[in-house]
């Protein structure tokens, strides 16, 4: 098995390499095979620009390091954005920040509302429990009062009957 990477080769298939730009896959594979056969010191061009410095303008012949798409990209990066567009994006960013703050406040208020709802349910159940206790105590008192009334009425009847027999 070959140590070379395997590529599918179709007619018209192109591949981009920084050294030579766009090229046919077959020719790139052949150049890689030739380079693998004769390893050499990697070649770094002297005129590679950084992102902060513009590339040298191409002379009459196209430079092998830069293709027109990269040159156009550098040109677009050097052009500052217009003030109107920048101001619009600043406005949008401020509104997004405000929206984020309000959404956080909304979540906090919803959590507080859920806690309040839970406390209200607990208070209602506690009040109903106390009312039930009061009702039970009142029923006990009523039963005791009825029993005392019945005992009192029975004692009165018995005492009256005893007192009437003694005469």
């Amino acid at each position: 098995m070959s140590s070379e990477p395997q590529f599918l080769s179709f007619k018209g298939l192109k591949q981009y390499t920084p050294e030579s730009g766009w090229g046919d896959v077959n020719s790139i594979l052949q150049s890689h095979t030739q380079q693998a056969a004769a390893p050499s010191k990697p070649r770094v061009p002297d005129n590679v620009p950084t992102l902060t410095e513009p590339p040298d303008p191409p002379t009459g012949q196209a430079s092998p390091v830069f293709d027109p798409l990269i040159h156009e990209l550098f040109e677009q990066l050097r052009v500052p954005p217009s003030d109107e567009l920048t101001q619009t994006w600043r406005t949008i960013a401020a509104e997004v920040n405000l929206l984020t703050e309000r959404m956080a406040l909304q979540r906090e208020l919803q959590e507080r509302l859920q806690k309040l709802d839970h406390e209200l349910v607990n208070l209602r159940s506690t009040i109903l429990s106390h009312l039930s206790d009061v009702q039970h105590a009142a029923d006990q008192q009523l039963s005791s009062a009825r029993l005392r009334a019945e005992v009192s009425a029975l004692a009165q009847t018995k005492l009256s009957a005893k007192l009437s027999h003694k005469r």
Side-chain angles (χ1 to χ4, degrees), residues 12-44:
L13 186 63
K14 302 273 186 187
Q15 182 178 359
Y16 179 81
T17 58
E19 296 86 20
S20 59
W22 291 100
D24 290 328
V25 173
N26 288 333
S27 64
I28 293 172
L29 283 175
Q30 288 172 0
S31 69
H32 281 295
T33 307
Q34 290 170 359
Q35 287 176 358
S40 64
K41 187 175 171 184
R43 186 181 73 81
V44 178

Side-chain angles (χ1 to χ4, degrees), residues 38-102:
S40 64
K41 187 175 171 184
R43 186 181 73 81
V44 178
D46 294 333
N47 60 350
V48 176
T50 64
L51 288 177
T52 57
E53 65 184 41
D56 294 333
T59 54
Q61 198 176 46
S63 172
V65 176
F66 298 106
D67 71 9
L69 294 175
I70 292 177
H71 181 69
E72 183 178 336
L73 176 64
F74 280 118
E75 286 296 321
Q76 288 177 1
L77 288 174
R78 276 193 296 256
V79 174
S82 68
D83 289 333
E84 181 181 326
L85 185 61
T86 303
Q87 185 58 37
T88 303
W89 277 111
R90 284 184 184 150
T91 304
I92 290 171
E95 289 171 346
V96 167
N97 287 339
L98 183 62
L99 178 66
T100 303
E101 289 174 12
R102 297 295 164 90

Side-chain angles (χ1 to χ4, degrees), residues 127-147:
I127 290 170
L128 288 175
S129 173
H130 289 299
L131 286 174
S132 176
D133 292 344
V134 167
Q135 181 67 38
H136 182 67
D139 287 344
Q140 288 283 4
Q141 288 176 352
L142 185 60
S143 295
S144 296
R146 281 186 188 155
L147 187 60

